Structures are given as structure tokens and as C-alpha cells.
Amino acid sequence: KAGVTQTPRYLIKTRGQQVTLSCSPISGHRSVSWYQQTPGQGLQFLFEYFSETQRNKGNFPGRFSGRQFSNSRSEMNVSTLELGDSALYLCASSSFQTSEYGYTFGSGTRLTVV
Amino acid sequence: GQQLNQSPQSMFIQEGEDVSMNCTSSSIFNTWLWYKQDPGEGPVLLIALYKAGELTSNGRLTAQFGITRKDSFLNISASIPSDVGIYFCAGMRGANNLFFGTGTRLTVIP
């Protein structure tokens, strides 16, 4: 089956702009989580969506937001970009309705803010 | 956000050697996961552990869920060049989010 698909793979934005990243989970997976990975902070949890509802949120400012659609695809948005937002943004999907467990990650979107 | 303490930070080993890395936390977790990340890619799940004391193998990989539920280790036997990458542990309390370790960068010298 197809894995988790993230688009775009690479993105360059300037400070002050906003950006939207997309994630298509594995078919049948209803949980989608977003993580930010930077060399200094490692992998940090942003938020998690399940059936179009945000179930959990990490410790990030309100400039970071997300949503999930009825087909489980998810988007995350970062407004008023700062240089420190440069990172690899990873999306992971999970299903708790089968014996499959753990999270499957996409290849990520590398965002560079200049 | 919370991070788990993972050690060592990096390892340089000869091909064929065994590798051991561990992860500790001040908090209890119900599930421990071990991931490997190659450059430019997302982490890939290697092993999942669901019960305290559980020992699970996946080929040359063996991982254990600590009895206290605050730690876990991963062993790789007879390392090969493709084992190169960054290994992350992750703990879960509920079904909602993962807390990741700081990572162990493994280099295998042929």
C-alpha cells in the first residue's frame, strides 16, 4: 500500500510569508500527527488530528496551525514565517483499528526561510 | 517539549561489530518505539515494544522495554554498512503523540 505522502518536498520562503504543507496518510489511517525536526531541538511534536478533530497539541506558538479533512488528508500552516521556522516538517499517520501500531512517517517537507 | 535522553550521541564502529544504545526518561511510558532515519527521509519504525520487560527482535535488531517503564535499549548485531543512520527512541503514553529521544548517529566503517 502507498505510504505517507508529503508535498512539497522542498520549499523556500521569505520571512513574514505564510506556508501550507500537505500530508496524505496511508489509506485507512485516521490519525495524522505533525512534527518539526531541527538540528538543535530534535523532533518536536506539533499537533495530532483524528477524524478531523485536533486531539493533542504541542508547545508551539499560534502561528502554527493545522486541519484535517474528511478523507484524513491533513494540512499544516505556518503564518508570519521566522528564520527559526526553517526545519524538516514530518507528518506521520497511524491506525488504531488494526493490529498495526506505531506511526508511519512521510519523507518530510524541508522548509527554508530566508 | 519533552525529550528522552538517548546515548551515546554518536558511534563509530567497524563493520561486523555489535552496537548498543539506550534511552532513558524521568517519566513512565506505555509504549517504546525505535526508529531509524536516513538522510533526507522520515524515520522508519524498526521495533515496537508494548509491555514492561518485553524483549523483541527484528532480524539483527533486538530491543527491550525496561522494567521500570522509564527506559529502553536497542542492540544491533553484526553491523553492516547500511546500518548507518540516526536511530531514535520514542515513548508513548497514550495514543496521541510521541516523545522522541535525541538520537544516536551511527557510522559503520567498512
Side-chain angles (χ1 to χ4, degrees):
Chain A
K1 55 184 175 184
V4 178
T5 304
Q6 290 188 247
T7 57
R9 283 299 305 270
Y10 303 94
L11 206 49
I12 300 175
K13 290 284 189 179
T14 56
R15 275 183 298 176
Q17 285 187 311
Q18 75 159 11
V19 67
T20 299
L21 312 181
S22 179
C23 172
S24 293
I26 289 173
S27 178
H29 284 194
R30 293 162 63 191
S31 168
V32 174
S33 299
W34 288 88
Y35 291 82
Q36 182 197 63
Q37 186 175 28
T38 59
Q41 298 296 318
L43 278 150
Q44 303 271 344
F45 171 73
L46 281 155
F47 28 65
E48 187 242 359
Y49 287 87
F50 185 84
S51 294
E52 302 178 67
T53 301
Q54 187 181 87
R55 268 202 311 201
N56 206 357
K57 189 176 188 305
N59 191 26
F60 277 80
R63 299 185 296 108
F64 292 81
S65 63
R67 59 177 176 169
Q68 187 179 33
F69 302 95
S70 58
N71 61 358
S72 294
R73 189 178 71 86
S74 178
E75 289 180 347
M76 69 162 280
N77 183 276
V78 189
S79 62
T80 320
L81 284 166
E82 301 176 0
L83 294 179
D85 296 333
S86 295
L88 180 66
Y89 288 88
L90 292 161
C91 160
S93 76
S94 179
S95 166
F96 303 105
Q97 295 178 336
T98 69
S99 58
E100 186 180 33
Y101 206 68
Y103 284 76
T104 302
F105 283 84
S107 297
T109 294
R110 183 162 296 281
L111 172 66
T112 302
V113 182
V114 297
Chain B
Q2 177 177 351
Q3 281 193 326
L4 310 180
N5 298 313
Q6 195 171 338
S7 64
Q9 269 192 322
S10 61
M11 301 180 75
F12 291 81
I13 61 168
Q14 294 283 344
E15 182 178 356
E17 287 184 350
D18 296 343
V19 173
S20 185
M21 59 191 78
N22 67 74
C23 202
T24 60
S25 170
S26 57
S27 305
I28 288 174
F29 289 103
N30 297 323
T31 300
W32 282 92
L33 306 168
W34 284 92
Y35 285 86
K36 177 180 182 243
Q37 187 175 27
D38 292 325
E41 298 295 329
V44 174
L45 182 65
L46 299 173
I47 290 181
L49 302 157
Y50 307 119
K51 277 178 15 180
E54 180 181 357
L55 185 72
T56 297
S57 293
N58 178 9
R60 295 179 296 107
L61 277 58
T62 302
Q64 183 156 31
F65 191 145
I67 290 291
T68 64
R69 294 201 282 157
K70 293 182 179 181
D71 62 340
S72 177
F73 73 74
L74 174 71
N75 286 342
I76 305 173
S77 63
S79 59
I80 58 178
S82 62
D83 290 336
V84 165
I86 303 178
Y87 292 79
F88 291 97
C89 62
M92 290 177 68
R93 290 199 191 89
N96 293 351
N97 61 316
L98 302 176
F99 295 96
F100 278 89
T102 46
T104 295
R105 184 181 294 274
L106 177 64
T107 301
V108 179
I109 303 166

